[in-house]
Amino acid sequence: MSPFAGAQFASPEVIQHAPALLIAAPLTAACVAALSPSARWAWFASLGGALVSLWMALCLAAEVARSGAVSYAVGGFAPPLGIELRLDDLSVFFCLLVSVMGVATSIASASLLRLELPERDHSLMQAGFMLAFTGLLGLTATGDAFNAFVFLEVSSIGTYALVAMGASQDRRALTAAFQYLVMGTIGATLFVIGVGLLYAVTGTLNMADMAERLAASSSDTAAIAGLALITVGLALKAAMFPLHAWLPGAYSAGPTMVVAFLAGTATKVSVYLLIRFLMDVAGGLESAGEGLLTWLIAPMAGIAAIVASVQAVFQTETRRILAYSSIAQIGYVLLGVTSGSVAGLTAALFLLFTHAMIKTVIFLSLGAIDHRGSRLETLAGAGREAPWTIAALALAILGLAGAPFTAGFLAKWRLLGALADDGRIWAVVAIAASSLTALVYCGRILETVLFRTRRPAGATISEASPAALAAIWFLAASSVWYGVDASALYDLARQAAASVMGASP
Amino acid sequence: MSLLLASPELELVFSALLLTLVAGLVVALLAARSVLTCILLMSAFSLTMALWLMTMDAPDVAFTEASVGAGVSTMILLGAALSSTDVIPSLRPGRLWFPAVACLAAFIGMALIVPDLPVFGDPGSPPSAYVGRLYLEQTPHDIGAPNVVTAVLASYRGFDTLGETTVIFAAGVGVLLLLGGQVRSPDAAPEDVSLRASAGSPVLSVAARLLIPIICLYAFYVLAHGEFGAGGGFQAGVILAAALILHALVFGVRETMKALPVGVVRACAALGVLGYAAVGFLAILNGGRFLDYDALLSPVFEAGLPSSHLAGGHHHWGQRIGILAIETGVMLAVASTMTAIFYAFTGRVSRSDAAGAS
Amino acid sequence: MTLALVLTPYVYGLGFFMMAAGLLIALTSRHLIKRLIGLGVFQTSAGVFYILLSKVSGGTAAIRLEADSPAAEALASRLDAAYIAAHGVDGVVYSNPLPHVLILTAIVVGAATLAVGLAIIVRIRETYGTVDFEEISALEARALRDVREDEA
């Protein structure tokens, strides 16, 4: 049972247009933010856009729980002529993920921006943030393969510049952003070439139509090549090992609000597209999607889990530790996705959601306590100056390490169980080894913020602003809640997994 | 835009030859060791590509490639490259072999699937026979515009175009964030990036005074004519931006910024996107789907308007007004974003020149 | 159609060559501006592939003509009636408009990427004093070493 069954968040007239409003609201907010005369008004615009999107995502979740997948023909043209927005259990799951993270980031954004950038840049930063948010929501909602490329670019183009704005704190943001731009563009272009190959075989761009025609097509070399290109392109975007080189730089040097939002959403949405294409669109191609999952993605995910965790241990900068940990987590998630069972995919989605919350909390709180310096030592003893923020940070780090009674623990436990049931012992070993390594770096962070006292000169720490604390604690408390009673989120994940596995027999 | 060569097969040969020329320019680009050469090759690449696109019956794309690829891109590339070192040192061979092998492998992999791809020019291939053909058949009935590319771009796939306008807007936001710190007011603008030797030359200024209105008029022609022939909001926006840039080159950026301050340009870019989205919202308020132009006018009102001679008696005023409205939004967004990008780049370049000189 | 069969591997081969060459430039050039140019070639070559799919032999641009107009008759004079009947729409053979629309979008996306990339490069030049990839890497490595030595 979906936790949204029977809920009604708006009148039917609004729900009918929810898929379009979900995307159009933050787009409007972006324009308003760019037009607004002051930083404060831009903040209100972004907050409003994010909240409307969350509202629409909730409406859609309820609607999908009530009557199954929602299809919206933009412009009134039925697919395959028009562009279809299509929301099933899987896409609604990711819509909720993106919009929750968007609202949390937006709440904290004004105070984070004040710490890092001059006021004249704030309204454009909010506009860029809303554009990235629009793009990611569009990606989760669209049912058209080329439209997905357009939203991929909408979500990326502004983001490159936003990451580069970290240069006011750390000049490496510029080179990191350039590398991110080159890799991101290569990824998106590989994706669009892949879509072109699928179009050459099927003659259509609508994903559902494409799936049907692929199932019926006789020769499928071109289709397999197309799927392979899409996989590589999305792997670049998702920072899947060994195509992750852009991520640590971007995460360690970008402005806090940008990194917090990206860490919680961008790579996750790429994983969504990967699932959509390999398990849904390629569902009819007997071995293609599954072959890519088993022979390309799964081994890389296993290596990522171990290598990235070990790399994280040897980092000296706090955000780099977390960036490598994110790469390892993407590895865990993909191991779950490739397990080929509903239980495995459910656990992977559950892990993905909890990890997004945890990482957003960590990045938000690191930025919000206003510490100058990127190295871990500059956080020594931060628990005394900023007890409230550090308490949330510590909770999140415990979740990242997989301590019992946290959502992180539950997610990993279920994932290991599902993988063991599928007989993927090597995957279980990889995740277990990686998790043990994670204890080392998580322990180091916890020890530094809670117990160390000697701090390098010049590093100052102060408590986060009330707005930032509200956002941080909202997410931290939810992650704790899901550690105690996971049923709501877990049911949502299971529905999502079942909907996509049902489509691929 | 068929070439009307003696046989359709000769047309295919001709276009393959042009594509060879395009690929030859890429070979030259691989070997080029000077940034300026690279930029000029890129520009030549875009122009030749535009010619090739004409042989492929894609005049709309050719128009865009020529104005965006060969025009605007070359201009901002030159602007950004002006004060960087020109010579490109070669890479150590040790660093080259892995990417080179990877690219070669990708090329071979792609070459292997050629037998599975549609034959060049095949009218029965899945892309040409299925949705592509449906658009050609349905457009007179659904949209009523002779140019099917415009119909698909602005109406059937109008949501893509909204996304695309958003991408341009996002690029403008990004460039202004990165470079815009100094170009807020005309007084802070750089002294002059006009052609310094000839600035104030009566010939140039008279020519510019004559040309700028004509270019602007042409931009509006391209905008309005998109329904009937090659053209539309993007191309019109680029042309409009070209008029402003010509003004800046002849009279100096400072003059242009006085006439059209950065704040106004930025607001226009946002308003363009907002206007596009507003058409979508208006359709929803009138009971249609997002961006459903048929819902823009009430049926009673539309019945009173004369029917279009092109559409076989169907009423398509909603579609026509909707397309014109969103194309105007696109034009506004593209022209302002391009101008903002131009301001940002010229502002920066001459600033760093001044810093380097002092 | 035999000529078309010979041309098919040739034109696709050219398209794929441009993809590989653009990718190579984007990944290996030392000058950041040349990297962006390579990226642009890579993006454009994706467009070449789409446009190759759109061509219909004997077709014309997708701007609807009346079948009895002079232009349509000139076009039709070169084709057999059976071909037009099978593949034409209302008596005229057109190329497929859909890839054109998609690539129009892709070209604009390419220009947007270029603008943002160049803006980042301008900032890099102001900050590091160079746009040479290897010099920048060396500068960053040195900065990292200095930080370590300060601590020691």
Side-chain angles (χ1 to χ4, degrees):
Chain A
M1 262 314 270
S2 161
F4 293 109
Q8 172 112 15
F9 295 99
S11 66
E13 291 80 36
V14 174
I15 291 175
Q16 189 195 350
H17 293 292
L21 295 177
L22 175 80
I23 299 163
L27 177 59
T28 310
C31 299
V32 174
L35 284 170
S36 52
S38 73
R40 176 169 287 268
W41 283 104
W43 180 43
F44 290 155
S46 113
L47 205 55
L51 283 170
V52 173
S53 288
L54 179 62
W55 177 33
M56 289 300 131
L58 288 171
C59 289
L60 284 165
E63 184 64 19
V64 170
R66 182 165 46 241
S67 51
V70 174
S71 166
Y72 187 88
V74 183
F77 297 106
L81 284 188
I83 289 175
E84 180 194 20
L85 298 177
R86 191 177 167 77
L87 288 119
D88 57 9
D89 288 297
L90 185 68
S91 25
V92 158
F93 184 80
F94 280 87
C95 270
L96 285 171
L97 169 73
V98 173
S99 46
V100 168
M101 299 308 146
V103 169
T105 314
S106 177
I107 292 172
S109 65
S111 58
L112 292 173
L113 282 174
R114 265 200 297 280
L115 293 176
E116 290 173 359
L117 286 166
E119 180 145 346
R120 58 155 199 262
D121 290 334
H122 290 194
S123 47
L124 283 179
M125 286 296 286
Q126 295 285 12
F129 162 57
M130 272 294 111
L131 288 172
F133 184 60
T134 308
L136 292 174
L137 282 173
L139 275 174
T140 59
T142 189
D144 187 278
F146 195 85
N147 195 233
F149 164 72
V150 174
F151 279 116
L152 204 58
E153 289 290 0
V154 171
S155 70
S156 314
I157 297 259
T159 312
Y160 304 140
L162 292 186
V163 168
M165 290 308 282
S168 61
Q169 307 281 315
D170 180 350
R171 68 173 189 170
R172 287 174 304 170
L174 294 169
T175 45
F178 188 78
Q179 198 188 8
Y180 183 21
L181 177 131
V182 172
M183 290 303 154
T185 305
I186 292 177
T189 309
L190 288 174
F191 177 81
V192 83
I193 298 171
V195 169
L197 284 168
L198 292 182
Y199 172 64
V201 176
T202 59
T204 181
L205 291 166
N206 183 271
M207 291 183 197
D209 198 17
M210 213 176 233
E212 269 174 38
R213 292 186 154 246
L214 278 179
S217 81
S218 51
S219 73
D220 45 30
T221 329
I224 292 171
L227 287 169
L229 285 174
I230 289 173
T231 307
V232 176
L234 291 175
L236 254 170
K237 286 272 182 191
M240 191 176 97
F241 186 88
L243 303 171
H244 63 280
W246 59 267
L247 187 137
Y251 278 19
S252 64
T256 304
M257 76 174 273
V258 178
V259 173
F261 180 64
L262 287 186
T265 53
T267 51
K268 272 75 179 171
V269 170
S270 303
V271 171
Y272 160 76
L273 278 179
L274 215 53
I275 298 174
R276 177 62 75 204
F277 272 92
L278 292 184
M279 301 174 80
D280 197 359
V281 174
L285 272 182
E286 278 296 305
S287 50
E290 231 178 282
L292 283 167
L293 286 170
T294 321
W295 298 110
L296 186 65
I297 298 180
M300 287 304 161
I303 298 173
I306 294 174
V307 172
S309 270
V310 173
Q311 276 177 300
V313 171
F314 291 102
Q315 299 303 313
T316 52
E317 293 174 33
T318 326
R319 285 166 158 217
R320 273 188 189 264
I321 299 176
L322 297 164
Y324 280 103
S325 136
S326 278
I327 296 166
Q329 297 278 344
I330 288 288
Y332 303 169
V333 169
L334 288 173
L335 281 174
V337 170
T338 54
S339 71
S341 67
V342 174
L345 185 55
T346 307
L349 292 176
F350 184 70
L351 175 65
L352 187 138
F353 203 111
T354 53
H355 176 248
M357 290 196 292
I358 287 170
K359 270 286 154 60
T360 308
V361 169
I362 296 178
F363 277 115
L364 282 179
S365 43
L366 281 179
I369 53 177
D370 184 24
H371 76 110
R372 305 264 175 258
S374 51
R375 302 169 59 78
L376 184 54
E377 285 80 59
T378 57
L379 284 172
R384 277 189 308 278
E385 277 111 326
W388 284 102
T389 321
I390 295 300
L393 177 75
L395 271 178
I397 297 272
L398 283 174
L400 189 63
F405 307 113
T406 62
F409 170 76
L410 206 60
K412 270 188 199 167
W413 186 249
R414 299 225 168 151
L415 182 60
L416 288 173
L419 287 169
D421 285 345
D422 293 335
R424 304 211 164 201
I425 301 305
W426 62 271
V428 173
V429 173
I431 295 181
S434 170
S435 301
L436 286 177
T437 324
L439 289 181
V440 178
Y441 62 74
C442 290
R444 249 177 77 205
I445 300 177
L446 276 185
E447 192 235 354
T448 309
V449 295
L450 295 179
F451 306 118
R452 289 262 189 98
T453 49
R454 216 166 60 85
R455 190 185 304 157
T460 56
I461 285 171
S462 55
E463 185 71 272
S465 71
L469 267 183
I472 291 166
W473 270 99
F474 166 67
L475 289 179
S478 333
S479 83
V480 171
W481 171 251
Y482 289 131
V484 180
D485 175 16
S487 57
L489 184 57
Y490 198 75
D491 285 342
L492 216 56
R494 188 165 49 216
Q495 298 249 319
S499 80
V500 69
M501 299 298 264
S504 63
Chain B
M1 302 293 140
S2 189
L3 293 162
L4 288 179
L5 290 179
S7 89
E9 294 212 326
L10 270 182
E11 273 179 23
L12 296 186
V13 174
F14 185 70
S15 103
L17 285 176
L18 262 180
L19 192 61
T20 316
L21 201 59
V22 178
L25 287 167
V26 176
V27 175
L29 191 63
L30 270 173
R33 302 290 294 279
S34 137
V35 178
L36 210 56
T37 315
C38 286
I39 294 172
L40 293 180
L41 281 172
M42 172 81 182
S43 185
F45 170 82
S46 288
L47 270 182
T48 325
M49 181 69 80
L51 282 179
W52 176 73
L53 288 166
M54 288 305 289
T55 69
M56 296 298 284
D57 307 330
D60 284 273
V61 192
F63 198 166
T64 315
E65 178 67 41
S67 56
V68 173
V72 173
S73 297
T74 308
M75 190 198 71
I76 55 174
L77 271 168
L78 282 174
L82 273 181
S83 52
S84 70
T85 46
D86 186 52
V87 181
I88 305 173
S90 56
L91 204 66
R92 272 183 282 118
R95 287 238 175 151
L96 190 65
W97 73 266
F98 181 68
V101 168
C103 290
L104 189 68
F107 173 67
I108 294 174
M110 294 297 281
L112 287 177
I113 57 161
V114 166
D116 216 36
L117 291 174
V119 172
F120 185 38
D122 178 13
S125 68
S128 300
Y130 180 36
V131 178
R133 194 184 156 90
L134 283 178
Y135 284 128
L136 286 163
E137 287 169 356
Q138 299 277 318
T139 296
H141 176 260
D142 290 345
I143 317 285
N147 187 350
V148 183
V149 172
T150 299
V152 179
L153 185 88
S155 194
Y156 287 112
R157 295 185 70 89
F159 200 53
D160 259 358
T161 309
L162 175 61
E164 181 186 355
T165 316
T166 311
V167 167
I168 283 284
F169 177 55
V173 167
V175 172
L176 278 180
L177 266 175
L178 284 165
L179 304 180
Q182 273 68 33
V183 288
R184 294 292 142 115
S185 70
D187 296 327
E191 178 48 44
D192 219 301
V193 285
S194 57
L195 313 165
R196 286 192 180 92
S198 47
S201 139
V203 177
L204 267 181
S205 98
V206 169
R209 271 174 222 279
L210 279 175
L211 272 176
I212 289 169
I214 296 176
I215 297 178
C216 291
L217 195 64
Y218 182 58
F220 284 100
Y221 165 75
V222 168
L223 171 76
H225 193 67
E227 220 180 300
F228 305 98
F234 284 101
Q235 295 94 332
V238 173
I239 293 170
L240 206 56
L244 283 165
I245 290 165
L246 178 65
H247 185 272
L249 287 176
V250 174
F251 302 104
V253 177
R254 189 179 272 201
E255 288 299 310
T256 315
M257 277 191 189
K258 262 184 202 149
L260 205 65
V262 184
V264 173
V265 172
R266 174 176 144 184
C268 284
L271 285 175
V273 181
L274 208 54
Y276 198 142
V279 174
F281 288 128
L282 198 62
I284 286 186
L285 288 179
N286 283 355
R289 299 262 142 173
F290 189 68
L291 290 176
D292 183 351
Y293 310 141
D294 284 329
L296 289 177
L297 299 179
S298 73
V300 181
F301 179 70
E302 201 173 350
L305 295 171
S307 67
S308 157
H309 67 284
L310 288 155
H314 289 293
H315 275 93
H316 291 294
W317 285 103
Q319 289 288 343
R320 302 183 72 176
I321 289 171
I323 289 176
L324 198 61
I326 65 112
E327 295 266 29
T328 310
V330 170
M331 180 180 79
L332 197 60
V334 170
S336 346
T337 306
M338 295 288 171
T339 312
I341 289 174
F342 176 78
Y343 282 171
F345 275 102
T346 48
R348 276 291 166 149
V349 170
S350 39
R351 229 172 51 87
S352 53
D353 275 355
S358 59
Chain C
M1 281 313 269
T2 48
L3 196 56
L5 284 176
V6 178
L7 284 176
T8 302
Y10 181 69
V11 288
Y12 281 125
L14 286 178
F16 296 149
F17 161 74
M18 285 191 269
M19 277 177 204
L23 194 57
L24 187 65
I25 297 174
L27 288 175
T28 62
S29 177
R30 276 181 66 171
H31 200 292
L32 297 186
I33 291 184
K34 191 170 177 187
R35 277 193 182 207
L36 274 190
I37 292 179
L39 206 57
V41 171
F42 182 48
Q43 287 175 306
T44 313
S45 62
V48 169
F49 175 69
Y50 274 82
I51 298 291
L52 285 173
L53 296 176
S54 78
K55 176 68 186 170
V56 169
S57 181
T60 185
I63 299 169
R64 298 270 318 217
L65 300 167
E66 299 295 336
D68 51 2
S69 63
E73 278 169 5
L75 282 164
S77 65
R78 309 173 308 153
L79 304 168
D80 356 316
Y83 185 85
I84 296 178
H87 303 297
V89 176
D90 297 336
V92 184
V93 179
Y94 300 100
S95 282
N96 177 3
L98 180 53
H100 302 174
V101 174
L102 306 180
I103 294 320
L104 258 167
T105 307
I107 290 173
V108 174
V109 166
T113 315
L114 184 75
V116 174
L118 283 174
I120 296 176
I121 289 180
V122 168
R123 289 288 301 270
I124 287 180
R125 192 186 60 219
E126 287 173 5
T127 312
Y128 290 84
T130 174
V131 286
D132 183 314
F133 183 75
E134 297 205 344
E135 281 176 24
I136 293 167
S137 311
L139 280 174
E140 288 198 342
R142 196 183 312 149
L144 206 63
R145 215 167 42 239
D146 287 349
V147 171
R148 293 234 169 94
E149 276 166 12
D150 281 352
E151 276 166 21

